[in-house]
Amino acid sequence: MWMGVLHEWVILQVPINIFEGDDLHLRCHSWPFATYAVKNIKFYKDKETVPSYNNEIVFAINRGFNNGIYGCTMVLKFAITSKIYEDWTNLSVQELFSHPAIKVSSYQMREGSNMTVSCHTSLNVLRESTVLQTAFYKNAKLVKEFSFSNEHQIIFAQLEDSGDYTCEVTNLPNTVRKMSNSLTIYIQELFSHPAIKVSSYQMREGSNMTVSCHTSLNVLRESTVLQTAFYKNAKLVKEFSFSNEYQIIFAQLEDSGDYTCEVTNLPNTVRKMSNSLTIYIQELFSHPAIKVSSYQMREGSNMTVSCHTSLNVLRESTVLQTAFYKNAKLVKEFSFSNEYQIIFAQLEDSGDYTCEVTNLPNTVRKMSNSLTIYIQELFSHPAIKVSSYQMREGSNMTVSCHTSLNVLRESTVLQTAFYKNAKLVKEFSFSNEYQIIFAQLEDSGDYTCEVTNLPNTVRKMSNSLTIYIQELFSHPAIKVSSYQMREGSNMTVSCHTSLNVLRESTVLQTAFYKNAKLVKEFSFSNEYQIIFAQLEDSGDYTCEVTNLPNTVRKMSNSLTIYIQVQVSKPTLMINLSEVAIGDDVDFVCLSDRGSLPIHYQFYHMGMVVRNITVNQKGGAHLRLNIANVKVAGLYYCDSHNDISNSSLSNEVTLSIIVPVAHAMITVKNGTLDVKAQDSMTFNCSVELGTSPNFMWFHNKEEVDERSGLYQITEMGMVLHVKSVQLQHGGTYQCQASNMVSPNRIFTAQSNILTVTVLGVSGTLHGILTPSLSVSLLVLLLICGFLLFNYRRKIAQSINCSFCQQQAGKEIPKSRNHQEHEHEDTHSQGCSVTEDQEEYYNLNPRDVTMNNSVCYTYIDVKCGKKVAVQSDDIKAGYSVTYSAVKCKAKVTTNSACNKELPDPSDSIYENFNSK
């Protein structure tokens, strides 16, 4: 952008860019000096003067009409002289937006398609922010007003949407408006205008008629699916369907009319209506006329109603049927007879009669006009009366029925019947009265009477007469002196009623019933007393009141009286007194007497176990599952009801037998190698079990204390041998047992201990024979030699890997020995101290030692104890090995940093070092 500087006395100032619709501001500007004065400013357009205000003029630019040459002049007056100065410029107005062009979404628009007409223009690049609005016209008529959308949409275009379309564009302040050229749009027809036809133009009443609608599709749209609807006299008679036919079965006269049809495509975007077709149905037979046999019918006479019509001369062979109606209700169905007969016509047979005629296939039906028939009355409507309209309970009552005969039929014999609440109380008789002796309240009701002539051809019912019997005394009410009667109390049952104020002198008597049985006969007292009421006096009580001549009797409602009884001392019963863990025990707490409900509480060792309320006899039941011994002990219960305090039962002791389990046999001196003539003591114990009994076995045979070889003490728990002999060697086992009942015995077998009897010289004795002992000794010597060589090789291979090179570690202690401390007596290698200890099986990880003694403990996972001691065995000590089959590896202390060979496949046999 650049700015030029003009050195002129007068300058005409104009905008750089001016557009259609803008306001044009012109200014005549002079040189800014104070040495002169400005006079006579004038503006010009195309050399013609235009009016101005001061030195500025505003022009409205509209559609390019303000293009031209503009100028201004002014007089500058100096001190001495004056001079006219001027300035001119050629001004061109720019277009705001281009001439609009109108377009259509498709130039081959078909009927029923959606059509979009759009208007296109472009804004000047310098005025792109201008807001435009567009309007549309069809055949020069506005179809869419100005809006911000440049489109005009037509949904489901029809033929009438064809025409010359234009669009007009304007800016938002509406200072510039431009119209497009015209665009002719032609909508192609989807299908032709429909034509309506009928199957026959001489339709007769009762024939089938078919009305059809015909149209043809555009050859380019033959796949279009069409639907058709039909109208009669402009009212829809068949909705749109794929059929182009409308069928009328058995056409009637009322089916005549002006018919049209309408066709639409399946999406219902195009709809076209046919021209009208007038259809006339020819009559089959004439409109029927109804007649009666006599127009002065009397009640009880026979009456015949007939129906008359005539057939079309072209259809005289048609078979007709006739039906009859009275007051629009069918009284005789269609039949070949055109007559309707009434035997003994009654007044209610009067009415408006019509008849209907149809042909045999029932395709044509026609109704006659109405005929009013009136039946003359034989005797008047009966009226019912009562002897007194203030009837009192216990009085005699007469109901009578009154009527009058027609003066022309006074010789007619009549009979009368009576009804109460629509139920017959007296059959027809020649008497017109109905008598009731000692009328009761239940005789009140709605009474009617019915009168008939003797041949019973006419029957008439009177209106209803409501008769109310006034009460002599009120319905009795039964009461009791207390509604919470307790056993042993005095009870008074009373009966209460009140006399009619007009009959207060009437004498009444009262009777009492219990469970519908008489307990006190009629008397002048209205009370029934029971001294020291018992439980059996409970029941349903009623009372009955009567007047002295016994013409009125009334029963009260039932009153249930229940004698409340305090609960008796309860009894606690138990089905089992001794049970085992896991058993179910049933307790029953029962009070023989007492009013329900009874509240029971069960206690165990003084603590409440359960609260139970019962509403029937039989007591309270409690079932306990014996989960542990804590539920053993003393049990009792109490009971009470709403009128008594708690009463305690007897006490019941529940004993729980814990089945014996895990029996264990141990030897007192801790060794199973016993010298002859020494004593030997075994103990048998159980981890679980209540009051166990013990039985001892030696070599699987029960020990007999009477043999003198054994002593069994401490209730069987201890087996003692005072002087061990050779026959005492072998296996020992004990069995513990206890029982809940003779058929429920629990037993537990202990472990088995094998005792070896040593002679005085230290030789092995026992149950072995001499020959077997020699063979076993040789075998043990061979095994010991092999074991010695094997252990030596292991010791050489591991280089005393069991030794701990750091002092201060402790050797594990046996459960039967004292702890010994060892000091290092050798500078290197392994040495054995004199004090050796006995060790049980341990896990191979539990290896502890000091630097002077090496021990290895092997976990053999077998249930027997194995002692492993040092290789250097001194006098008096022995090494015992067990045959093991273990898969675990034996490792030494981490300080040795070596792993022992797996001895799982080695077999060792017990032997004595001596």
Side-chain angles (χ1 to χ4, degrees), residues 293-316:
S293 54
S294 172
Y295 290 94
Q296 291 184 352
M297 294 301 304
R298 291 188 177 86
E299 197 174 19
S301 302
N302 296 332
M303 178 176 72
T304 301
V305 182
S306 57
C307 191
H308 303 272
T309 186
S310 58
L311 282 165
N312 188 307
V313 293
L314 300 177
R315 300 291 290 275
E316 291 183 345

Tab-separated table of all heavy atoms in Angstrom, residues 293-316:
chain	number	residue	atom	x	y	z
A	293	SER	N	-103.604	-59.374	11.930
A	293	SER	CA	-104.907	-60.017	11.635
A	293	SER	C	-106.078	-59.163	12.111
A	293	SER	O	-107.155	-59.182	11.528
A	293	SER	CB	-104.969	-61.400	12.307
A	293	SER	OG	-104.679	-61.279	13.706
A	294	SER	N	-105.917	-58.408	13.216
A	294	SER	CA	-106.990	-57.543	13.699
A	294	SER	C	-106.336	-56.325	14.351
A	294	SER	O	-105.359	-56.460	15.098
A	294	SER	CB	-107.872	-58.276	14.714
A	294	SER	OG	-108.804	-57.370	15.303
A	295	TYR	N	-106.968	-55.191	14.123
A	295	TYR	CA	-106.415	-53.969	14.703
A	295	TYR	C	-107.055	-53.630	16.043
A	295	TYR	O	-106.772	-52.590	16.624
A	295	TYR	CB	-106.543	-52.804	13.718
A	295	TYR	CG	-105.610	-52.959	12.522
A	295	TYR	CD1	-106.058	-53.543	11.342
A	295	TYR	CD2	-104.278	-52.551	12.614
A	295	TYR	CE1	-105.204	-53.705	10.264
A	295	TYR	CE2	-103.425	-52.718	11.533
A	295	TYR	CZ	-103.880	-53.296	10.363
A	295	TYR	OH	-103.041	-53.465	9.303
A	296	GLN	N	-107.928	-54.562	16.572
A	296	GLN	CA	-108.512	-54.413	17.914
A	296	GLN	C	-108.281	-55.701	18.688
A	296	GLN	O	-109.195	-56.459	19.004
A	296	GLN	CB	-110.005	-54.079	17.818
A	296	GLN	CG	-110.293	-52.700	17.262
A	296	GLN	CD	-111.770	-52.359	17.281
A	296	GLN	OE1	-112.632	-53.210	17.574
A	296	GLN	NE2	-112.109	-51.101	16.996
A	297	MET	N	-107.051	-55.990	19.006
A	297	MET	CA	-106.666	-57.216	19.703
A	297	MET	C	-106.932	-57.054	21.208
A	297	MET	O	-106.681	-56.004	21.793
A	297	MET	CB	-105.196	-57.520	19.478
A	297	MET	CG	-104.871	-57.857	18.033
A	297	MET	SD	-105.791	-59.292	17.419
A	297	MET	CE	-105.335	-60.541	18.617
A	298	ARG	N	-107.508	-58.144	21.813
A	298	ARG	CA	-107.760	-58.147	23.250
A	298	ARG	C	-106.787	-59.102	23.942
A	298	ARG	O	-106.370	-60.114	23.385
A	298	ARG	CB	-109.203	-58.559	23.545
A	298	ARG	CG	-110.217	-57.523	23.118
A	298	ARG	CD	-111.628	-57.886	23.606
A	298	ARG	NE	-112.606	-56.867	23.275
A	298	ARG	CZ	-113.264	-56.790	22.140
A	298	ARG	NH1	-113.054	-57.697	21.192
A	298	ARG	NH2	-114.144	-55.828	21.941
A	299	GLU	N	-106.483	-58.766	25.169
A	299	GLU	CA	-105.580	-59.557	26.000
A	299	GLU	C	-106.086	-60.999	26.068
A	299	GLU	O	-107.267	-61.245	26.317
A	299	GLU	CB	-105.541	-58.929	27.397
A	299	GLU	CG	-104.382	-59.350	28.254
A	299	GLU	CD	-104.344	-58.561	29.554
A	299	GLU	OE1	-105.393	-57.983	29.920
A	299	GLU	OE2	-103.291	-58.504	30.201
A	300	GLY	N	-105.183	-61.973	25.763
A	300	GLY	CA	-105.546	-63.381	25.807
A	300	GLY	C	-106.007	-63.929	24.476
A	300	GLY	O	-106.187	-65.145	24.339
A	301	SER	N	-106.221	-63.072	23.461
A	301	SER	CA	-106.645	-63.539	22.126
A	301	SER	C	-105.422	-63.957	21.327
A	301	SER	O	-104.286	-63.612	21.640
A	301	SER	CB	-107.393	-62.419	21.390
A	301	SER	OG	-108.520	-62.001	22.133
A	302	ASN	N	-105.666	-64.734	20.218
A	302	ASN	CA	-104.590	-65.116	19.310
A	302	ASN	C	-104.385	-64.015	18.276
A	302	ASN	O	-105.354	-63.436	17.772
A	302	ASN	CB	-104.913	-66.436	18.619
A	302	ASN	CG	-105.008	-67.596	19.614
A	302	ASN	OD1	-104.358	-67.541	20.667
A	302	ASN	ND2	-105.786	-68.618	19.278
A	303	MET	N	-103.117	-63.752	17.912
A	303	MET	CA	-102.806	-62.651	16.992
A	303	MET	C	-101.832	-63.151	15.926
A	303	MET	O	-100.901	-63.912	16.217
A	303	MET	CB	-102.168	-61.487	17.778
A	303	MET	CG	-101.766	-60.302	16.914
A	303	MET	SD	-101.121	-58.922	17.894
A	303	MET	CE	-99.530	-59.585	18.402
A	304	THR	N	-102.084	-62.735	14.627
A	304	THR	CA	-101.215	-63.114	13.503
A	304	THR	C	-100.696	-61.849	12.835
A	304	THR	O	-101.480	-60.987	12.400
A	304	THR	CB	-101.963	-63.970	12.481
A	304	THR	OG1	-102.449	-65.154	13.119
A	304	THR	CG2	-101.037	-64.339	11.325
A	305	VAL	N	-99.321	-61.761	12.728
A	305	VAL	CA	-98.669	-60.650	12.032
A	305	VAL	C	-98.069	-61.211	10.756
A	305	VAL	O	-97.386	-62.243	10.782
A	305	VAL	CB	-97.574	-60.020	12.918
A	305	VAL	CG1	-96.943	-58.827	12.192
A	305	VAL	CG2	-98.148	-59.585	14.267
A	306	SER	N	-98.324	-60.552	9.581
A	306	SER	CA	-97.850	-61.059	8.283
A	306	SER	C	-97.012	-60.004	7.574
A	306	SER	O	-97.123	-58.799	7.835
A	306	SER	CB	-99.035	-61.459	7.397
A	306	SER	OG	-99.913	-60.354	7.223
A	307	CYS	N	-96.113	-60.505	6.640
A	307	CYS	CA	-95.176	-59.627	5.917
A	307	CYS	C	-95.351	-59.872	4.414
A	307	CYS	O	-95.356	-61.029	3.952
A	307	CYS	CB	-93.746	-59.950	6.345
A	307	CYS	SG	-92.515	-58.745	5.782
A	308	HIS	N	-95.461	-58.784	3.592
A	308	HIS	CA	-95.794	-58.910	2.173
A	308	HIS	C	-94.778	-58.161	1.305
A	308	HIS	O	-94.390	-57.024	1.624
A	308	HIS	CB	-97.202	-58.354	1.924
A	308	HIS	CG	-98.259	-59.014	2.762
A	308	HIS	ND1	-98.917	-60.155	2.380
A	308	HIS	CD2	-98.753	-58.682	4.001
A	308	HIS	CE1	-99.775	-60.506	3.330
A	308	HIS	NE2	-99.683	-59.625	4.323
A	309	THR	N	-94.322	-58.834	0.195
A	309	THR	CA	-93.413	-58.220	-0.779
A	309	THR	C	-93.688	-58.829	-2.144
A	309	THR	O	-94.426	-59.826	-2.257
A	309	THR	CB	-91.936	-58.452	-0.375
A	309	THR	OG1	-91.105	-57.726	-1.268
A	309	THR	CG2	-91.563	-59.925	-0.434
A	310	SER	N	-93.102	-58.218	-3.237
A	310	SER	CA	-93.283	-58.749	-4.601
A	310	SER	C	-91.923	-58.823	-5.277
A	310	SER	O	-91.089	-57.924	-5.144
A	310	SER	CB	-94.230	-57.860	-5.414
A	310	SER	OG	-93.718	-56.544	-5.476
A	311	LEU	N	-91.672	-59.926	-6.051
A	311	LEU	CA	-90.394	-60.157	-6.717
A	311	LEU	C	-90.313	-59.397	-8.033
A	311	LEU	O	-91.332	-59.083	-8.662
A	311	LEU	CB	-90.205	-61.650	-6.983
A	311	LEU	CG	-89.784	-62.509	-5.786
A	311	LEU	CD1	-90.002	-63.988	-6.090
A	311	LEU	CD2	-88.316	-62.243	-5.451
A	312	ASN	N	-89.077	-59.109	-8.483
A	312	ASN	CA	-88.817	-58.541	-9.795
A	312	ASN	C	-89.299	-59.540	-10.844
A	312	ASN	O	-89.077	-60.751	-10.710
A	312	ASN	CB	-87.309	-58.282	-9.949
A	312	ASN	CG	-86.976	-57.500	-11.209
A	312	ASN	OD1	-87.369	-57.876	-12.316
A	312	ASN	ND2	-86.215	-56.423	-11.037
A	313	VAL	N	-89.981	-59.042	-11.888
A	313	VAL	CA	-90.556	-59.946	-12.890
A	313	VAL	C	-89.485	-60.797	-13.550
A	313	VAL	O	-89.781	-61.891	-14.079
A	313	VAL	CB	-91.339	-59.130	-13.950
A	313	VAL	CG1	-92.564	-58.491	-13.321
A	313	VAL	CG2	-90.453	-58.060	-14.601
A	314	LEU	N	-88.217	-60.343	-13.534
A	314	LEU	CA	-87.136	-61.129	-14.151
A	314	LEU	C	-86.568	-62.148	-13.179
A	314	LEU	O	-85.765	-62.996	-13.573
A	314	LEU	CB	-86.023	-60.187	-14.637
A	314	LEU	CG	-86.448	-59.146	-15.689
A	314	LEU	CD1	-85.264	-58.232	-16.023
A	314	LEU	CD2	-86.951	-59.843	-16.955
A	315	ARG	N	-87.001	-62.094	-11.887
A	315	ARG	CA	-86.423	-63.017	-10.892
A	315	ARG	C	-87.523	-63.653	-10.045
A	315	ARG	O	-87.389	-63.804	-8.839
A	315	ARG	CB	-85.452	-62.244	-9.987
A	315	ARG	CG	-84.284	-61.585	-10.712
A	315	ARG	CD	-83.301	-62.623	-11.249
A	315	ARG	NE	-82.579	-63.264	-10.169
A	315	ARG	CZ	-81.491	-62.774	-9.622
A	315	ARG	NH1	-80.997	-61.628	-10.068
A	315	ARG	NH2	-80.887	-63.409	-8.658
A	316	GLU	N	-88.678	-64.034	-10.706
A	316	GLU	CA	-89.825	-64.549	-9.959
A	316	GLU	C	-89.571	-65.899	-9.316
A	316	GLU	O	-90.321	-66.322	-8.432
A	316	GLU	CB	-91.062	-64.625	-10.878
A	316	GLU	CG	-91.588	-63.252	-11.273
A	316	GLU	CD	-92.849	-63.335	-12.123
A	316	GLU	OE1	-93.117	-64.449	-12.614
A	316	GLU	OE2	-93.543	-62.311	-12.282
